[in-house]
């Protein structure tokens, strides 16, 4: 990470905020203000730095998850609802519980379930998030949640769910997994059940995972988008086709017909932020 410095907090500050004792990467330009700003920590900037650092496949991302979750808790609004609709001008996503035994598109990293995505009746998406979102996972959710065009749908697909299925078939998912990054997968018969009906034990045992509070997820998305400067970026698409022989565990529930029919993968990395999350992130980082 270029032009980043590491913020080391005093024991009393760590105790005050309930944060673990790790270095917090922040832009070097913000380091002085972080030290001199009347003792108030730049929580959003700190979270964003960890999101970016944990994105890399070689990062020790699991070791910084407690800090990311605590920062998200500090930044999240006082909203205990199980389901929160997050929306912007070109982006909409419902954050809430998801039945892991149903048809899913998932964000995974190694053998860890990051998020599970399912279709609403209107073709939009609901997502449950189980681990703090690194930068790439946040990009996936933002891109998959783009508002459908009235004539052309979502990237020439009927709705967000159909687009998510296509993205899960992208060849880039295999390479992302191989690099140790977050990637998309499709479970047609539910988490941990392969296309032939057999169990995949390392995933099946995660059926009882409990989703993180929706407010924290929305705060994480808002921090990532607001501080990444995505507003003027062009969408990035990966249109490579999936190599079926090498992706059995990345998309284990895919039917043969869908495998041959899907020709476009990847995701759009830039779209509008959840407006309420933007307000929280701006307010807490200013």
């Amino acid at each position: 990470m270029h032009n980043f410095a590491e913020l080391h907090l005093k024991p009393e500050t760590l105790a005050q905020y309930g944060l673990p004792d790790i270095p917090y990467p922040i832009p070097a330009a913000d380091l002085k203000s972080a030290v001199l700003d009347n003792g108030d920590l730049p929580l959003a900037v700190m979270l964003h730095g960890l999101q970016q650092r944990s994105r890399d496949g070689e990062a020790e991302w699991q070791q910084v998850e407690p800090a990311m979750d605590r920062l998200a808790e500090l930044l999240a609004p006082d909203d205990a609802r199980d389901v929160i609709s997050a929306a912007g001008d070109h982006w909409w996503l419902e954050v809430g519980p998801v039945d892991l035994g149903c048809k899913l598109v998932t964000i995974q990293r190694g053998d860890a379930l990051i998020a599970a995505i399912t279709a609403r009746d209107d073709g939009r998406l609901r997502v449950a998030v189980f681990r703090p979102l690194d930068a790439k996972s946040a990009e996936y959710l933002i891109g998959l949640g783009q508002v459908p065009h009235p004539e052309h749908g979502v990237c020439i697909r009927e709705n967000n769910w159909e687009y998510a299925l296509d993205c899960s078939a992208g060849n880039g998912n295999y390479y992302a997994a191989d690099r140790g990054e977050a990637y998309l997968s499709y479970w047609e018969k539910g988490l941990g059940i392969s296309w032939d009906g057999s169990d995949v034990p390392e995933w099946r045992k995660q059926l009882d995972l409990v989703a993180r509070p929706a407010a924290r997820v929305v705060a994480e998305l808002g921090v990532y988008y607001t501080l990444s400067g995505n507003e003027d970026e062009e969408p990035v698409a990966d249109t490579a086709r999936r190599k079926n022989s090498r992706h059995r565990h990345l998309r284990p529930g895919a039917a043969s017909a869908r495998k041959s029919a899907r020709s476009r993968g990847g995701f759009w990395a830039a779209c509008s932020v959840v407006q309420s999350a933007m307000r929280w992130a701006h307010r807490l980082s200013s």
Side-chain angles (χ1 to χ4, degrees):
M1 296 172 61
H2 300 293
N3 300 320
F4 270 72
E6 291 189 342
L7 179 63
H8 294 264
L9 301 176
K10 296 180 179 180
E12 54 269 28
T13 304
L14 294 171
Q16 177 185 348
Y17 288 90
L19 289 167
D21 187 7
I22 64 170
Y24 291 86
I26 66 173
D30 294 336
L31 183 59
K32 183 176 180 180
S33 60
V35 174
L36 299 178
D37 190 18
N38 297 321
D40 294 331
L41 293 181
L43 301 176
V45 174
M46 292 164 62
L47 175 56
H48 181 252
L50 292 177
Q51 289 175 330
Q52 294 289 3
R53 173 166 289 181
S54 60
R55 175 193 190 113
D56 187 83
E58 298 182 357
E60 297 178 342
W61 57 278
Q62 291 173 310
Q63 295 185 15
V64 301
E65 282 186 325
M68 295 173 68
D69 187 59
R70 176 55 179 161
L71 287 167
E73 181 181 9
L74 292 170
L75 289 164
D78 185 15
D79 190 336
R81 288 178 295 166
D82 291 333
V83 179
I84 298 178
S85 297
D89 290 339
H90 305 288
W91 188 86
W92 192 96
L93 192 72
E94 187 174 68
V95 181
V98 167
D99 183 357
L100 297 181
C102 295
K103 185 181 298 185
L104 302 168
V105 169
T106 54
I107 301 175
Q108 302 174 181
R109 191 166 186 179
D111 292 334
L113 179 64
I114 305 298
I117 304 165
T118 191
R120 288 166 34 96
D121 291 340
D122 60 1
R124 296 287 188 90
L125 303 177
R126 174 184 277 203
V127 60
V129 176
F130 301 93
R131 305 182 79 110
L133 296 171
D134 67 282
K136 187 174 183 182
S137 297
E139 285 179 357
Y140 276 132
L141 293 179
I142 289 172
L144 294 175
Q146 61 188 286
V147 174
H149 187 277
E151 295 182 10
H152 307 299
V154 182
C155 298
I156 322 181
R157 295 297 182 255
E158 182 179 354
N159 54 44
N160 296 88
W161 178 245
E162 290 297 317
Y163 181 49
L165 293 177
D166 279 353
C167 292
S168 71
N171 194 42
N173 291 306
Y174 169 80
Y175 297 106
D178 191 54
R179 293 191 300 267
E181 300 172 2
Y183 62 93
L184 296 175
S185 185
Y186 173 49
W187 299 89
E188 185 180 30
K189 303 177 186 297
L191 184 69
I193 301 180
S194 190
W195 63 271
D196 60 359
S198 61
D199 283 1
V200 185
E202 62 268 30
W203 294 105
R204 198 67 180 160
K205 68 183 181 181
Q206 300 186 52
L207 278 175
D208 295 329
L209 288 176
V210 177
R212 299 172 63 234
R216 295 188 199 179
V217 176
V218 175
E220 287 176 341
L221 288 169
V223 165
Y224 167 74
Y225 189 89
T226 303
L227 299 184
S228 293
N230 290 333
E231 292 87 345
D232 299 321
E233 290 183 3
E234 292 296 324
V236 178
D238 172 12
T239 57
R241 293 197 60 169
R242 176 175 172 266
K243 294 182 180 178
N244 295 329
S245 63
R246 304 181 70 183
H247 284 65
R248 182 168 58 89
H249 294 298
L250 300 185
R251 193 170 182 253
S256 298
R258 189 178 296 280
K259 290 178 183 177
S260 61
R262 303 290 173 185
S263 61
R264 300 186 181 185
F267 65 96
W268 285 31
C271 57
S272 290
V273 69
V274 182
Q275 290 175 337
S276 58
M278 285 182 67
R279 290 195 294 270
W280 300 329
H282 279 304
R283 184 177 70 248
L284 291 166
S285 62
S286 62

